[in-house]
Amino acid sequence: MTLLDRWLAFADRISSYAVWFGGTLVLASAILVSVDVLLRKIALVSLGGADELSGYAFAIGTTWALGFTLLRRANVRVDALYTKLPAPVCAVLDLIALASLGLFIGLLAIQAWDVLDTSISFQARATTPLQTPLWIPQSLWVIGLGLFLFTLVPLFLRSLLALLGGDLATVRRLAGARTIEEDAADESAHTAALRAKE
């Protein structure tokens, strides 16, 4: 358990940096597209490649933010029936959800690696005016998927051990769907912190 807790804490630190990197990419692409649109409207010129670069930034930024989203339980979950079920059933469903997500992302990462390997082997370039070497955005995309799996594995194992030990509260804290009360408490704490700074 101690090893998994340390792994989770390390993954949390990495995911905090990764989400900032991903967010910065998406913000930079939004600025680039905005500037390109304004230049087209005002000066009738284009920077060229803004749409291509924003596509790469979105794909990379999304994968680099997945681990952070998972650890904060910020992903969208349909929980209309979930909230009515007994706690042990919810804990089992949480583990099934994590395992399913891990399987899906694992398969996606394998395919992404194959795509990257092919691009490197053939020295593939984008069929656009920028002719971007495809291994550059694809490498960052694969790294993002790898970071997500690096976060998901200890989360699943720690939740599984908690479930086997009958610690349903830990399973809920690590893998359960967020409740309205948790969201409200977080918002209140955030508002209080902002007021304290003023």
Side-chain angles (χ1 to χ4, degrees), residues 35-45:
V35 168
D36 190 47
V37 168
L38 288 173
L39 285 175
R40 286 183 196 183
K41 184 72 174 172
I42 296 168
L44 301 177
V45 295

Side-chain angles (χ1 to χ4, degrees), residues 26-39:
V26 172
L27 180 62
S29 71
I31 292 169
L32 178 64
V33 168
S34 298
V35 168
D36 190 47
V37 168
L38 288 173
L39 285 175

Side-chain angles (χ1 to χ4, degrees), residues 49-172:
D51 56 340
E52 177 184 353
L53 294 175
S54 64
Y56 298 146
F58 184 73
I60 295 163
T62 299
T63 59
W64 281 60
L66 289 175
F68 183 85
T69 303
L70 179 67
L71 289 174
R72 300 300 181 279
R73 298 181 299 143
N75 49 311
V76 176
R77 290 175 66 166
V78 179
D79 60 357
L81 179 61
Y82 175 91
T83 57
K84 310 288 188 218
L85 297 172
V89 175
C90 290
V92 170
L93 290 175
D94 292 333
L95 266 290
I96 291 172
L98 278 178
S100 302
L101 182 60
L103 178 64
F104 172 73
I105 294 295
L107 292 172
L108 181 61
I110 290 168
Q111 292 302 312
W113 180 263
D114 287 344
V115 169
L116 173 60
D117 185 49
T118 301
S119 293
I120 292 171
S121 297
F122 290 101
Q123 298 178 357
R125 292 181 170 270
T127 55
T128 61
L130 292 181
Q131 292 191 344
T132 307
L134 290 177
W135 70 268
I136 297 172
Q138 289 171 356
S139 295
L140 293 171
W141 180 52
V142 169
I143 290 169
L145 293 171
L147 287 172
F148 182 63
L149 288 173
F150 181 78
T151 302
L152 190 141
V153 168
L155 184 66
F156 174 78
L157 293 176
R158 182 66 179 88
S159 300
L160 178 61
L161 288 176
L163 178 62
L164 294 176
D167 187 358
L168 300 181
T170 297
V171 177
R172 178 155 187 75

